[in-house]
């Protein structure tokens, strides 16, 4: 659908009629004529089209993320600021470009703009400027020429040169401008994104609604993979246009603390939330197991749920954390559904006509949490199988409460109540881990497909169960017994 | 005036500023307003008869200019070495993803929308899923017209079968030598086909001008080859075709043949005066456009008890997919080098290019050598195990040296690289003698593997290159060649060669980038790791020619014989009295006397090269000299395997290669390390997964897993320099070779770690886990 929105591209402010559902990638290349943004896969996997996107975070502050413009709808640019390679290069080569060039990290060059934008975004928003963090920042970018050795050296050089960046966005932008990482004119504009023209709607619906022309798009990371060229009469809503829809709040319901997550909370929001981290200490270390940085910056939790993949990582995590969905009926009715019960069959949801997902509720009590996933590659992959566990311990060292989720072994994500029953009341031990592994081995009815054969999935499930026990109770040194 | 050599220094790549700033224009960045867009309907079946295709609704869609099927061009067949492929399927489809129909519209969205309105009926046929299936008695014949296809003489198809080409090597008496060998091992080794996955998807933009000339911009490695083939396929003379190759976003062989150009041109000829753009999506690029071949092989090796190889008997079956295209020469190249870099006195080899119902295969970095190397290296591993010998020692013992003969009977001359020195470097880098296998405290197993490789370019005997060298007013030099920039950086190597030969500062030398068949000197193809060697030779001749012209002009005002002059440092001067001379800027566009009289005119150096002394192969024995220069080397890896779930990664990768002479070390290292990284992907994850009807299940980057940042090992790239006598400054080709040994080295290390011989690729964790489980039970 056509609509007038307001956004900035590099230093230029646009108030422009755009096709809501059209891809930012196409607009940048064809309408704006900026050819440095490349199309490599059109599904968010290669990072050749990566751009930096600035906008408002849930708390109203300005945030900058690297995002793949091939999974970004034009309508979602309302109130946002996009930076392409041309914007960075406006005043000449930047130190990021120089580092890539000096190390021979640009061979055919097709992936270079994406890598340079990802590394620049890392310097703008990275919490700690060190080689490990820099590596994580470009995990969403593929290069086919270099074998990555030279890119690694370039990233290490940058980390050494910029180890002393200040923490706040404004001083950091100023410093990056003075050191020519960002053209000064651009840096000055990056502190405050433009005001959106449109009015935001927060609620998230299924991506398979009755009226396909009225879809709600979260981050677009699944929607655009499935619909790379949506029909021009699509009139999507973008759930993350309302900053409050990305809020994570603590609330008291009948004396019990709970966490409320808005419909547009994305993967980054979730793992960086102090409330989430307080509830499940250490959970942030699993962020890097989920997709890649540009996808985490955009993929919403409710979108992941509505997409109904049986191997969705965030769904398994949320099931273990005891999530319930807040579903809003069209005339204002509201109901709560336990997340595992929301999945009726393969890609089939307990969502009535006209109903939308308004948010997620998590119990607020602190838990010990662990997440494990097995994929063909160690990271950044769609899981072959995954599993999440959350437990609370009693004073005597026995397990007081447990939730156990598995994905990839059934048409829907599963909560394994037998596993939970096994654990509750017992003290962790190698024998218990073995029993848990045996239960996990039998869980579901895994199929054989391109991501793994059924038997291998079972074996992996068993291994993940053991891994849970080893990680949750490191003091027991279970690995020595289990892995002998 | 002595100058220090610039060779062996690593100046910044001249195209890096344009690449890192996003300013460089690749082919698809050059779409002009008014361009028509084509969208292709791809076959959902691997093998099927095509029934009715109804394009009426698509044609009626707003913005659509035309819709076409195979019936629109009933006689056109395309292909590089053998013309076996219609631009759109006719009568039947032979692979999943084969183009069936195409819509042309004013914009891409309309073309895609209209495409959904085409109704195509198919009647599925049994699909052939491997070379052995295709060779089995009673297998459906995929190309009944095989006997009538246009082909080059070196290709020997077997009509009535699915054999698109068979190359034979008969050297010595392999049967007798095997019968008398005290130790004989035999094994079968295989892997499925896969894809190049260059970051830039293929694109062609063609325009048929109102003057009757056809212009096509293409992401091609072979502008001149495309021109010739278009001429043959379309019936237009070469003079009416211009092919422009902008810098390419990665080729790896996948853009070396002819691919999207014929269809784009045929469409353009229907819409004279308007450019037509045909661009691949990633999925089409992976499945519909050509990938790399798969392999089924069987190798027998006979040796003495001391481990001296006596004979090899091998059968290499290349899975060429539905069309043979470039792959007929891939299997032939594998025959030329079939034993790997070892001295094997008796060889019997049949290498076959076999049609199946898989996506069709073309050149891929290594060009048949990954396949043969994987098969021979695995067989040598079996031999080492049987002999109880260290695999490195076995390779060292049998390493090919000058004086030995290749499988085709060509003698390795003193230009041949020093393989033992390469093996020694890898031995050091991996601390080989400290032990090949260790169990780590956490239960994982660390193991090492080694493999050797050689490669000669598989090229026509008349492969050529050319260069011109012209000059600007400031005395700076500009080299023009027909080489295409793919990321390999040949231009910076050529720039160093020209600067060195002219004794000129590097800043005063430029190399032109876009290759354009109307403007660039002829050049066979940017492939086969040959550009530095051949265009380098042409560049040297162009420099010599220019220098002679400069001396001739300068000899008049300097009043001396030409032979007393020397050109260096941007001047032409008397050798014995260097103060007496002229700046080049006063000579290269002609010399002007104080009174206004002028002589000379612009200097233009001409340089040519054509391969020397190559001959074809005898069809029965393979005898001949098809290989120009041999680049040899050794590669080793260290891997870590978790025996409990097959978790596996390559932690170290080392390559030592004899490159003759290092021209630009940083670029050379970039090529070798990049090739090793690609080889790790090849061995551990990259391959198509087919369903039971031979449909591709992982035709996207989501499911076809490339190596990612953070998964790379610690790399070591070392160079040995045994000069190539006829190479420019002694250099030889090095762009592909780093990939060749990786699958063999990784399979050896993984087999050692797993305790079971792993004879199939890719070595995914699941594959390893299953193999270990089967070995236990």
């Amino acid at each position: 659908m056509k609509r007038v929105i307001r956004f900035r591209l590099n230093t230029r402010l646009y108030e422009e009629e755009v096709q809501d559902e059209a891809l930012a990638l196409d607009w940048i290349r064809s309408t704006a004529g900026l050819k440095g943004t490349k199309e490599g896969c059109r599904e968010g996997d290669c990072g050749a089209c990566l751009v930096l996107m600035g906008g408002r975070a849930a708390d109203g502050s300005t945030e900058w993320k690297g995002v793949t413009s091939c999974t970004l709808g034009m309508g979602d640019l309302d109130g946002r600021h996009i930076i392409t390679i041309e914007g960075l290069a406006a005043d000449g080569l930047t130190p990021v470009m120089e580092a890539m060039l000096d190390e021979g990290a640009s061979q055919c060059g097709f992936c270079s703009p994406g890598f340079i934008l990802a590394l620049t975004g890392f310097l703008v928003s990275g919490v700690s400027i060190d080689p490990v963090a820099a590596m994580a920042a470009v995990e969403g970018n593929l290069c086919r020429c270099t074998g990555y050795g030279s890119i690694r050296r370039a990233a290490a050089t940058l980390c050494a040169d910029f180890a002393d960046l200040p923490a706040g966005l404004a001083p950091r932008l100023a410093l990056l401008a003075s050191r020519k990482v960002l053209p000064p004119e651009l840096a000055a504009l990056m502190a405050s994104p433009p005001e959106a023209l449109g009015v935001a709607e927060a609620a998230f619906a299924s991506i398979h609604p009755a009226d396909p022309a009225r879809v709600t798009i979260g981050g677009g990371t699944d929607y655009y993979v499935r619909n790379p060229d949506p029909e021009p009469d699509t009139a999507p809503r973008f759930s993350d246009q309302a900053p409050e829809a990305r809020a994570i709040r603590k609330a008291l319901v009948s004396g019990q603390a709970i966490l409320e997550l808005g419909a547009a909370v994305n993967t980054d929001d979730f793992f960086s939330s102090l409330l989430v981290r307080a509830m499940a200490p250490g959970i942030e270390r699993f962020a890097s197991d989920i997709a890649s940085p540009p996808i985490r910056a955009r993929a919403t939790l409710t979108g992941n749920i509505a997409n109904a993949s049986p191997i969705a990582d965030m769904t398994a995590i949320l099931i273990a954390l005891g999530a319930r969905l807040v579903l809003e009926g069209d005339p204002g009715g509201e109901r709560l559904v336990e997340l595992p019960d929301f999945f009726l069959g393969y890609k089939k949801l307990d969502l009535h006509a006209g109903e939308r997902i308004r948010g997620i509720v998590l119990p607020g009590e602190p838990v010990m949490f662990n997440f494990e996933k097995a994929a063909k590659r160690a990271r950044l992959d769609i899981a072959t199988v995954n599993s999440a566990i959350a437990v609370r311990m009693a004073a005597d060292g026995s397990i007081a409460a447990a939730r156990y989720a598995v994905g990839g072994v059934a048409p829907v994500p599963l909560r394994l109540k037998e596993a939970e029953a096994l654990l509750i009341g017992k003290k962790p031990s190698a024998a218990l881990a073995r029993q848990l592994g045996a239960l996990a081995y039998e869980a579901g009815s895994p199929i054989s497909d391109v991501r793994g054969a059924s038997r291998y999935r079972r074996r992996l499930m068993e291994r993940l169960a053991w891994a849970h026990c080893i990680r949750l109770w490191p003091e027991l040194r279970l690995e020595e017994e289990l892995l002998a | 005036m002595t100058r220090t050599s610039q060779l062996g220094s690593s100046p910044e790549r001249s195209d890096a500023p344009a690449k890192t700033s996003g300013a460089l224009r690749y082919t698809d960045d050059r779409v002009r307003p008014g361009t028509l867009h084509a969208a292709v309907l791809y076959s959902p079946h691997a093998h099927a008869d095509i029934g009715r295709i109804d394009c009426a609704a698509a044609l009626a869609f707003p913005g659509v200019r035309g819709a076409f099927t195979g019936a629109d061009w009933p006689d056109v067949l395309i292909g590089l070495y053998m013309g076996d492929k219609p631009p759109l399927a006719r009568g039947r489809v032979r692979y999943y993803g084969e183009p069936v129909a195409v819509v042309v519209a004013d914009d891409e969205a309309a073309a895609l929308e209209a495409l959904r309105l085409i109704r195509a009926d198919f009647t599925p046929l049994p699909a052939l899923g491997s070379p052995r299936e295709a060779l089995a008695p009673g297998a459906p014949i995929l190309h009944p017209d095989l006997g009538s296809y246009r082909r080059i003489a070196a290709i020997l198809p077997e009509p009535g079968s699915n054999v698109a080409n068979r190359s034979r090597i008969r050297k010595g008496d392999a049967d007798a030598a095997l019968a008398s060998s005290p130790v004989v091992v035999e094994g079968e080794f295989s892997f499925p086909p896969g894809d190049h996955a260059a970051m830039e998807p293929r694109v062609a933009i063609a325009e048929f001008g109102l003057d009757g000339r056809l212009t096509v911009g293409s992401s091609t490695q072979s502008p001149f080859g495309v021109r010739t083939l278009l001429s043959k396929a379309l019936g237009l003379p070469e003079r009416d075709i211009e092919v422009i190759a902008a810098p390419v976003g990665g080729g790896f062989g996948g853009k070396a043949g002819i691919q999207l150009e014929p269809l784009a041109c045929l469409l353009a000829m229907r819409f004279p005066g308007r450019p037509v753009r045909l661009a691949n999506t990633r999925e089409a690029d992976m499945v519909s456009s050509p990938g790399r071949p798969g392999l089924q092989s069987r190798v027998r090796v006979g040796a003495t008890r001391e481990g001296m190889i006596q004979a090899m008997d091998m059968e290499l079956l290349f899975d060429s997919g539905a069309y043979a295209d470039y792959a007929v020469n891939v299997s032939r190249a594998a025959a030329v080098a079939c034993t790997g870099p070892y001295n094997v006195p008796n060889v019997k080899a049949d290498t076959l290019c076999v049609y199946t119902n898989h996506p069709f295969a073309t050149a891929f970095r290594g060009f048949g050598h990954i396949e043969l190397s994987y098969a021979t290296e695995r067989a040598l591993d079996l031999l080492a195990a049987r002999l109880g010998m260290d695999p490195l020692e076995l390779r060292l013992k049998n390493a090919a040296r000058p004086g030995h003969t290749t499988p085709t009977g060509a003698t390795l001359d003193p230009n041949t690289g020093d393989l033992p020195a390469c093996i020694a470097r890898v031995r050091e880098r991996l601390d080989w003698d400290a032990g090949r296998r260790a169990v780590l405290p956490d239960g994982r197993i660390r193991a090492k593997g080694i493999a050797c490789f050689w490669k000669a370019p598989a090229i026509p005997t008349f492969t050529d290159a050319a260069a011109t060298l012209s000059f600007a007013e400031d005395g700076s030099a500009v080299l023009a060649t027909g080489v295409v920039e793919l990321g390999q950086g040949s231009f910076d190597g050529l720039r160093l060669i020209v600067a060195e030969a002219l004794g000129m500062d590097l800043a005063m030398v430029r190399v032109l980038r876009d290759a354009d068949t109307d403007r660039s000197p002829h050049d066979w193809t940017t492939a086969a790791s040959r550009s530095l060697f051949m265009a380098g030779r042409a560049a040297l001749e162009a420099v010599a020619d220019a220098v002679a012209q400069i001396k001739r002009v300068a000899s008049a005002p300097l009043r001396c014989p030409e032979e007393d002059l020397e050109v260096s440092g941007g001047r032409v001067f008397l050798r014995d009295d260097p103060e007496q001379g002229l700046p080049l800027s006063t000579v290269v566009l002609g010399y002007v006397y104080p009174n206004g009289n002028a002589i000379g005119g612009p200097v233009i150096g001409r340089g040519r090269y054509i391969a020397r002394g190559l001959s074809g192969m005898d069809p029965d024995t393979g005898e001949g000299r098809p290989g120009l220069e041999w680049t040899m080397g050794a590669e080793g890896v260290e891997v870590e395997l978790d025996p409990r779930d097959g978790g596996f990664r390559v932690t170290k990768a080392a390559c030592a290669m004899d490159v003759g002479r290092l021209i630009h070390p940083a670029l050379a290292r970039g090529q070798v390390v990049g090739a090793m990284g690609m080889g790790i992907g090849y061995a551990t994850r990259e391959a198509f997964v087919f369903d039971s009807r031979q449909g591709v299940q992982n035709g996207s980057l989501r499911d076809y897993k490339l190596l990612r940042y953070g998964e790379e090992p610690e790399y070591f790239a070392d160079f040995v320099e045994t000069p190539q006598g006829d190479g420019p400054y002694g250099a030889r080709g090095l762009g592909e070779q780093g990939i060749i040994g990786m699958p063999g080295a990784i399979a050896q290390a993984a087999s050692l770690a797993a305790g079971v011989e792993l004879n199939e690729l890719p070595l995914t964790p699941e594959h390893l886990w299953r193999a270990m489980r089967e070995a236990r039970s």
Side-chain angles (χ1 to χ4, degrees), chain A residues 29 38 40 45 101 107-109 138-139 144-145 147-148 152 377 381 451-453 455-456 459, chain B residues 12 19 26 28-29 196 282 645 670 674 685-686 702-703 705-709 712 715 766 769 773:
Chain A
R29 281 182 61 82
K38 305 298 184 195
D45 276 324
L101 192 149
Q107 289 189 16
C108 87
V138 294
E139 275 179 337
R144 190 60 162 160
C145 293
Y148 303 105
R152 177 178 290 267
R377 294 190 303 214
D381 201 350
R451 291 174 188 133
R455 218 178 177 134
Y456 186 58
R459 172 64 178 157
Chain B
E12 173 186 299
K19 284 179 171 171
Y26 300 83
D28 204 29
D29 300 334
H196 308 79
R282 172 58 58 186
D645 60 11
R685 61 194 72 196
E686 288 181 38
R702 283 221 159 172
D703 286 319
K705 297 302 182 187
L706 306 179
L707 200 70
R708 261 180 202 274
Y709 190 46
E712 79 279 10
Y715 293 110
E766 179 173 350
W769 171 79
R773 194 164 136 269

